[in-house]
């Protein structure tokens, strides 16, 4: 029997009362077409059997994701596709392929098509103002997700632009706390110093910056001494982190007590290298990530990761769907929607699988 997890629960409550209706539009090469929760090339699903009511006006929504090949954003976009589809909206999702000019072209195509709302996960947060300036003459509302633009950017398009995200300071703090909650409080060799390496995401991304800063701040705020051996620029990427942690283990060996990773993809890469050299998480090294990807949650349950932090894709996609619906229906929209992170430990991990 399948246990009802928090994700299931949130998913069940995410449907904001609309009948699913298939209002699919033509599938482009790198786009996927929703109104059902299917992948890009999947044929019309059971949603087609529902009466094609034009729920909430049958709006068209364009979504720009910075890169499909990102584990966390893959969960997030599947949620968005599902929830917006359940509202009867026709949804097209484009892959920015981690290239801002590709994403800008995609935005221009959506503008020509005259979509009702754009949901944008910018490739470069620093391009957010240019994105707003491109879109604002059309009057099309924007829901920024995942990569927080400056407040001035949101202010420049009043009542038409909002941000849905999670405060990355909280996730960093939780990572530090996970280390403080271990038996040795992160100081495995008992020399009074927590010695660590850090695998960082995209340096331009506020999530990477805050997680790097606040994970360590939690330790120093608790009166701990810390030593950073090296900060690696791994760009949220599992393979890069695997290579860098392998090198770090070869170079620093037993000195490394904690491996902090700004996300779980990199933590899973780090774990591969940790296991390869015969080190044991929880015994002679600690490892933390962020996102609560299924593989990472499993690793926490198995004792192969010290902990992770739930980056609530369900909650964020629910909030982004709600903001979109409000724009479609001409209702007032807040400027910010924040979703809490949650600490995931061996004790509660099963709830997040
Ligand atoms: C997630 C990362 C992801 C990044 C993309 C972060 O919030 O934790 O896993 O790669 O967003 O912008």
């Amino acid at each position: 029997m399948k246990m009802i997890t928090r994700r299931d629960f949130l998913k069940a409550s995410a449907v904001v009362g609309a009948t699913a209706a298939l209002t699919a539009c033509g599938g482009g090469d790198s786009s996927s077409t929703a109104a059902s929760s299917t992948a890009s090339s999947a044929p019309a699903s059971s949603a087609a059997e529902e009466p094609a009511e034009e729920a909430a006006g049958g709006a068209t929504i364009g979504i720009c994701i910075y890169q499909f090949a990102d584990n966390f954003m893959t969960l997030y976009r599947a949620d968005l596709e599902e929830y917006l589809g359940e509202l009867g909206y026709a949804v097209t999702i484009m892959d920015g392929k981690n290239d801002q000019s590709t994403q800008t072209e995609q935005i221009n195509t959506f503008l020509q098509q005259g979509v009702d709302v754009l949901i944008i996960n910018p490739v470069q947060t620093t391009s957010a103002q240019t994105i707003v300036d491109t879109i604002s003459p059309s009057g099309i509302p924007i829901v920024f997700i995942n990569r927080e633009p400056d407040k001035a950017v949101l202010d420049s398009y009043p009542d038409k632009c909002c941000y849905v995200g999670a405060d990355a300071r909280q996730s960093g703090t939780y990572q530090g706390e996970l280390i403080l909650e271990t038996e040795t409080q992160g100081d495995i060799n008992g020399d009074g110093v927590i010695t660590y390496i850090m695998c960082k995401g995209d340096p331009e991304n506020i999530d990477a910056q805050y997680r790097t800063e606040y994970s360590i701040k939690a330790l120093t705020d608790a009166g701990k001494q810390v030593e950073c051996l090296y900060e690696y620029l791994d760009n949220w990427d599992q393979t890069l982190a695997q290579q860098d942690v392998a090198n770090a283990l070869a170079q620093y060996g037993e000195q490394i007590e904690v491996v902090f990773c700004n996300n779980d993809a990199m933590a899973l890469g780090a774990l591969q290298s940790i296991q390869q050299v015969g080190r044991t998480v929880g015994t002679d090294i600690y490892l933390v990530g962020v996102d609560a990807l299924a593989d990472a949650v499993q690793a926490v349950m198995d004792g192969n990761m010290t902990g992770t932090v739930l980056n609530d894709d369900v909650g964020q996609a629910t909030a982004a769907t709600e903001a979109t619906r409000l724009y479609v229906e001409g209702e007032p929209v807040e400027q910010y929607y924040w979703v809490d992170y949650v600490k995931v430990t061996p004790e509660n991990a099963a709830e997040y699988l």
Side-chain angles (χ1 to χ4, degrees), residues 66 70 72 146-147 205 207 211 236 263 291 311:
Y66 94 94
D70 177 295
F72 175 72
N146 175 255
R147 295 179 157 193
N205 189 317
D207 286 5
R211 288 174 194 167
W236 306 118
N263 77 352
D291 282 340
N311 190 359

